[in-house]
Amino acid sequence: MNLRLARGKVSGQLVARFGKLAQAGAYEWRFASAATPTAWTKAETTLAANTTLDGLAPGTQYIVQVRAIGTAGPSDWSDAAMLMVA
């Protein structure tokens, strides 16, 4: 699976992009600080294969995962992507 992260236009933002899957109707996102990698925070479920995570702590490294949701239910979580927030 193809998950990419980039810093957002403002401090405290990460932009996450995922390779769109034909059978997916929605995408579920989660993130955690690299310091506490098992303390996941659920982000909004989106219809698009991208999202912007806001309100993150500048100077903190975050781990992000996504999974597709289709008629057969949710897929496995993607491999994690990691990036430090500016």
Side-chain angles (χ1 to χ4, degrees):
M1 295 190 188
N2 188 13
L3 176 60
R4 298 174 317 279
L5 300 179
R7 290 180 181 88
K9 293 181 180 182
V10 299
S11 181
Q13 265 186 354
L14 281 180
V15 177
R17 290 184 171 80
F18 186 65
K20 185 173 173 81
L21 300 175
Q23 67 275 23
Y27 298 87
E28 185 176 6
W29 303 87
R30 68 181 184 177
F31 64 94
S33 164
T36 56
T38 59
W40 293 104
T41 299
K42 185 179 176 198
E44 287 188 40
T45 298
T46 63
L47 298 179
N50 58 64
T51 193
T52 300
L53 304 172
D54 292 304
L56 304 176
T60 301
Q61 192 157 337
Y62 285 91
I63 302 166
V64 179
Q65 287 185 306
V66 62
R67 65 181 175 181
I69 302 171
T71 56
S75 68
D76 291 335
W77 288 103
S78 68
D79 290 337
M82 193 177 324
L83 187 66
M84 184 175 289
V85 174

